[in-house]
Amino acid sequence: MFPYVEHEKISTTVLFIVSLVAPAVIIFFVVMLLVPGPTAPPGTPKSLIFKRKLWEWNVGWLGLALALALSFFLTQGMKNMFGKPRPDLLSRCDPDTQNLAAYALGGYPNVRNGLTLVSSTICREKDKSKIDDGFSSFPSGHSSYSWAGMTYLALFLASKFSVAIPFLLPFAYSNNSPAANAYSSDGSAYGSSQSPTKEFSSIVNYSHVPLRKQAAAPPTYLLILPLIPICAAIYISSTRFSDFRHHGFDIIFGSLMGLLLAYTTFRLYHLPIRRGGGWSWAPRSPSRAFGVGVGRAGYIVNEDAPPRKDDLESGGKYPAMESSDAGLRDGMSSSQTQRI
């Protein structure tokens, strides 16, 4: 019989601070200090820089909140659905074993040592909430919540500080391409409408660059940034085992669920770490902010055209260009496309 630990190593309050408050604060300061980075040319309007900071901050918090919210609702829902006993349930219950027959609901009393199914009324513990919590072992809430928050923070830091395993990019999507910059040379938020491959080919010919010189590992000291949140999540999960609150499978399942939710929500709002330049996806076009319907691809109107004047990051510099149907627009010549 495992003992009931009154004072947990990581309380719910500490879990909330570590998994939600701390990542939110770190994301805010990283965005304010690092965005837009060295790719913004001199003379870029401060209003445009502030809008980029605001957008990165918005999606940074949005992804974190979504990961933690999904983790909370899925975990609590499964706890109530399955009702798996915790390892310390008998210590919580303090069963009246002297009157076992009075609480019996079934079983096999004739088997060696006896197997008797009893009701929860056998518990001499009068605190009903304490007993109910004893049937909330699967999955581990501390594990799912901590891994959701800490994994998201680790991915966010790895993205912003370019901490990733090096690999060879296709030529057209090189990280050195102007497409990875925050702004084009004229200060626009989306860069030039010219093909990134054509722009980059005038700068360097990758066919003459040895493969080993096309990528490199990040500085070793930067590895500590994503490792700290991961180590925090590992420690929080381990305390649920040493405090006798969860079985091993409960902790593993909760950890994997939190990790998967964090990765999913991060990729929902951010470009791939290794070739995204540390940026988030652009905002949806206003005309498709709440849906696109059938027959339209994506939430961005005219991806190869300058942005609408009312997009968040465009700064109102370019005229808008939009067609009612993406498939029809792609089949029209440039002279046929209506400019508003």
Side-chain angles (χ1 to χ4, degrees), residues 297-336:
Y299 289 89
I300 297 292
V301 177
N302 285 332
E303 298 180 2
D304 294 330
R308 293 171 56 93
K309 61 181 179 181
D310 49 353
D311 275 345
L312 177 62
E313 295 175 297
S314 68
K317 184 171 182 178
Y318 296 100
M321 182 173 70
E322 180 178 0
S323 175
S324 59
D325 184 82
L328 178 63
R329 184 192 68 242
D330 293 338
M332 297 170 61
S333 65
S334 59
S335 61
Q336 294 172 311

Coordinates of all heavy atoms in Angstrom, one line a residue, residues 297-336:
A297 N -8.5 27.5 -52.0 CA -7.3 26.9 -51.3 C -6.6 27.9 -50.4 O -6.1 28.9 -50.9 CB -6.4 26.4 -52.4
G298 N -6.6 27.6 -49.1 CA -5.9 28.5 -48.2 C -6.6 29.7 -47.7 O -7.6 30.1 -48.2
Y299 N -6.0 30.4 -46.8 CA -6.5 31.5 -46.1 C -5.8 32.8 -46.6 O -6.1 33.9 -46.0 CB -6.5 31.4 -44.6 CG -7.5 30.4 -44.1 CD1 -7.1 29.0 -43.9 CD2 -8.8 30.7 -43.7 CE1 -8.0 28.1 -43.5 CE2 -9.7 29.8 -43.3 CZ -9.3 28.5 -43.1 OH -10.1 27.5 -42.7
I300 N -5.0 32.7 -47.5 CA -4.3 33.9 -48.1 C -4.7 34.1 -49.5 O -4.7 33.2 -50.3 CB -2.7 33.7 -48.1 CG1 -2.2 33.6 -46.6 CG2 -2.1 34.9 -48.7 CD1 -2.4 34.8 -45.8
V301 N -5.2 35.4 -49.8 CA -5.6 35.7 -51.1 C -4.4 36.2 -52.0 O -3.7 37.0 -51.5 CB -6.7 36.8 -51.1 CG1 -7.1 37.2 -52.5 CG2 -7.9 36.4 -50.3
N302 N -4.3 35.6 -53.2 CA -3.2 36.0 -54.1 C -1.9 36.0 -53.4 O -1.3 37.0 -53.1 CB -3.5 37.5 -54.6 CG -4.6 37.5 -55.7 OD1 -4.8 36.5 -56.4 ND2 -5.2 38.6 -55.8
E303 N -1.4 34.8 -53.2 CA -0.2 34.6 -52.4 C 1.0 35.2 -53.1 O 2.0 35.6 -52.5 CB 0.1 33.1 -52.2 CG -1.0 32.5 -51.3 CD -0.8 31.0 -51.1 OE1 0.3 30.5 -51.6 OE2 -1.6 30.3 -50.5
D304 N 1.0 35.3 -54.5 CA 2.1 35.9 -55.2 C 2.0 37.4 -55.4 O 2.8 38.0 -56.1 CB 2.3 35.2 -56.6 CG 2.6 33.7 -56.4 OD1 3.3 33.4 -55.4 OD2 2.2 32.9 -57.3
A305 N 0.9 38.0 -54.9 CA 0.6 39.4 -55.2 C 1.0 40.2 -53.9 O 1.1 39.6 -52.8 CB -0.8 39.6 -55.6
P306 N 1.2 41.5 -54.0 CA 1.4 42.3 -52.9 C 0.2 42.2 -51.9 O -0.9 41.9 -52.4 CB 1.5 43.8 -53.4 CG 1.9 43.5 -54.9 CD 1.3 42.3 -55.3
P307 N 0.4 42.4 -50.6 CA -0.7 42.2 -49.6 C -1.8 43.3 -49.8 O -1.6 44.4 -50.3 CB 0.0 42.4 -48.3 CG 1.2 43.2 -48.6 CD 1.6 42.9 -50.0
R308 N -2.9 43.0 -49.2 CA -4.0 43.9 -49.2 C -3.6 45.1 -48.3 O -2.9 44.9 -47.3 CB -5.3 43.3 -48.6 CG -5.9 42.2 -49.6 CD -7.0 41.5 -48.9 NE -8.0 42.5 -48.4 CZ -9.1 42.8 -49.1 NH1 -9.3 42.3 -50.3 NH2 -10.0 43.6 -48.6
K309 N -4.2 46.3 -48.5 CA -3.8 47.4 -47.8 C -4.3 47.4 -46.3 O -3.8 48.0 -45.5 CB -4.4 48.7 -48.4 CG -5.9 48.7 -48.5 CD -6.4 50.0 -49.1 CE -7.9 50.0 -49.2 NZ -8.4 51.2 -49.9
D310 N -5.3 46.5 -46.0 CA -5.8 46.4 -44.7 C -5.2 45.2 -43.9 O -5.7 44.8 -42.9 CB -7.3 46.4 -44.6 CG -7.9 45.3 -45.6 OD1 -7.1 44.8 -46.4 OD2 -9.1 45.2 -45.6
D311 N -4.2 44.4 -44.5 CA -3.6 43.4 -43.8 C -2.8 44.0 -42.7 O -2.2 45.1 -42.7 CB -2.7 42.6 -44.7 CG -3.4 41.5 -45.4 OD1 -4.6 41.2 -45.0 OD2 -2.9 40.9 -46.4
L312 N -2.5 43.2 -41.6 CA -1.9 43.7 -40.4 C -0.5 44.2 -40.7 O 0.0 45.2 -40.2 CB -1.8 42.6 -39.3 CG -1.1 42.9 -38.1 CD1 -1.8 44.1 -37.3 CD2 -1.0 41.7 -37.1
E313 N 0.3 43.5 -41.6 CA 1.7 43.8 -41.7 C 2.0 44.6 -43.0 O 3.2 44.9 -43.2 CB 2.5 42.5 -41.7 CG 2.4 41.7 -40.4 CD 3.1 40.4 -40.5 OE1 2.7 39.5 -41.3 OE2 4.1 40.2 -39.8
S314 N 1.0 44.9 -43.8 CA 1.3 45.5 -45.1 C 1.6 47.0 -44.9 O 2.3 47.6 -45.7 CB 0.2 45.3 -46.0 OG -1.0 46.0 -45.6
G315 N 1.1 47.6 -43.8 CA 1.3 49.0 -43.6 C 0.6 49.9 -44.6 O 0.9 51.1 -44.7
G316 N -0.3 49.3 -45.4 CA -1.1 50.1 -46.3 C -0.3 50.7 -47.5 O -0.7 51.7 -48.1
K317 N 0.8 50.0 -47.8 CA 1.7 50.6 -48.9 C 1.3 50.2 -50.3 O 1.6 50.9 -51.2 CB 3.1 50.1 -48.6 CG 4.2 50.8 -49.5 CD 5.6 50.5 -49.0 CE 6.6 51.1 -50.0 NZ 7.9 50.9 -49.5
Y318 N 0.7 49.0 -50.4 CA 0.4 48.5 -51.7 C -1.1 48.5 -52.0 O -1.9 48.4 -51.1 CB 0.9 47.0 -51.9 CG 2.4 46.9 -51.7 CD1 3.0 46.5 -50.5 CD2 3.2 47.2 -52.8 CE1 4.3 46.4 -50.4 CE2 4.6 47.1 -52.7 CZ 5.1 46.7 -51.5 OH 6.5 46.6 -51.4
P319 N -1.5 48.6 -53.3 CA -2.9 48.5 -53.6 C -3.3 47.0 -53.4 O -2.5 46.1 -53.6 CB -3.0 48.9 -55.1 CG -1.6 48.6 -55.6 CD -0.7 48.9 -54.4
A320 N -4.6 46.8 -53.2 CA -5.1 45.4 -53.0 C -5.4 44.8 -54.3 O -5.7 45.5 -55.3 CB -6.3 45.4 -52.1
M321 N -5.3 43.5 -54.4 CA -5.6 42.7 -55.6 C -6.2 41.4 -55.2 O -5.6 40.7 -54.5 CB -4.3 42.5 -56.4 CG -4.7 41.7 -57.8 SD -3.2 41.6 -58.8 CE -2.2 40.4 -57.9
E322 N -7.5 41.2 -55.6 CA -8.1 40.0 -55.2 C -9.1 39.6 -56.2 O -9.8 40.4 -56.9 CB -8.9 40.3 -53.9 CG -9.7 39.1 -53.3 CD -10.3 39.4 -52.0 OE1 -10.2 40.5 -51.6 OE2 -11.0 38.5 -51.5
S323 N -9.3 38.3 -56.4 CA -10.3 37.7 -57.2 C -11.2 36.8 -56.4 O -10.8 36.3 -55.4 CB -9.6 36.8 -58.3 OG -10.6 36.2 -59.1
S324 N -12.4 36.7 -56.8 CA -13.4 36.0 -56.0 C -13.1 34.5 -55.9 O -13.6 33.8 -55.0 CB -14.8 36.2 -56.5 OG -14.9 35.7 -57.8
D325 N -12.4 33.9 -56.8 CA -12.1 32.5 -56.8 C -10.7 32.3 -57.2 O -10.2 32.7 -58.2 CB -13.0 31.8 -57.9 CG -12.8 30.3 -57.8 OD1 -13.4 29.7 -57.0 OD2 -12.0 29.8 -58.6
A326 N -10.0 31.5 -56.3 CA -8.5 31.3 -56.5 C -8.2 30.5 -57.7 O -7.3 30.8 -58.5 CB -8.0 30.6 -55.3
G327 N -9.0 29.5 -58.0 CA -8.8 28.7 -59.2 C -9.0 29.4 -60.5 O -8.3 29.3 -61.4
L328 N -10.0 30.3 -60.5 CA -10.3 31.1 -61.7 C -9.2 32.1 -61.8 O -8.7 32.4 -63.0 CB -11.7 31.8 -61.5 CG -12.1 32.8 -62.7 CD1 -12.2 32.0 -64.0 CD2 -13.4 33.4 -62.3
R329 N -8.7 32.7 -60.7 CA -7.7 33.8 -60.8 C -6.4 33.2 -61.4 O -5.7 33.9 -62.1 CB -7.4 34.3 -59.4 CG -6.4 35.5 -59.3 CD -6.0 35.7 -57.9 NE -5.2 34.7 -57.4 CZ -5.5 33.9 -56.3 NH1 -6.7 34.2 -55.7 NH2 -4.7 33.0 -55.9
D330 N -6.1 31.9 -61.0 CA -4.8 31.4 -61.5 C -4.8 31.2 -63.0 O -3.8 31.1 -63.6 CB -4.6 30.0 -60.8 CG -4.3 30.2 -59.3 OD1 -3.9 31.3 -58.9 OD2 -4.5 29.2 -58.5
G331 N -6.0 31.0 -63.6 CA -6.1 30.8 -65.0 C -6.2 32.1 -65.8 O -6.3 32.1 -67.0
M332 N -6.2 33.3 -65.1 CA -6.3 34.6 -65.8 C -4.9 35.1 -66.1 O -4.0 34.9 -65.3 CB -7.1 35.5 -65.0 CG -8.6 35.1 -64.8 SD -9.4 36.1 -63.5 CE -9.3 37.7 -64.3
S333 N -4.8 35.9 -67.1 CA -3.5 36.6 -67.3 C -3.5 37.8 -66.4 O -4.5 38.2 -65.8 CB -3.5 37.0 -68.8 OG -4.5 38.0 -69.1
S334 N -2.3 38.4 -66.3 CA -2.1 39.5 -65.4 C -2.9 40.7 -65.9 O -3.4 41.5 -65.1 CB -0.6 39.9 -65.4 OG -0.2 40.2 -66.7
S335 N -3.2 40.8 -67.2 CA -4.0 42.0 -67.7 C -5.4 41.8 -67.4 O -6.2 42.8 -67.3 CB -3.8 42.1 -69.2 OG -4.2 40.9 -69.9
Q336 N -5.9 40.5 -67.1 CA -7.3 40.3 -66.8 C -7.6 40.4 -65.4 O -8.7 40.5 -65.0 CB -7.7 38.9 -67.3 CG -7.6 38.7 -68.8 CD -7.8 37.2 -69.2 OE1 -7.2 36.4 -68.6 NE2 -8.7 37.0 -70.1

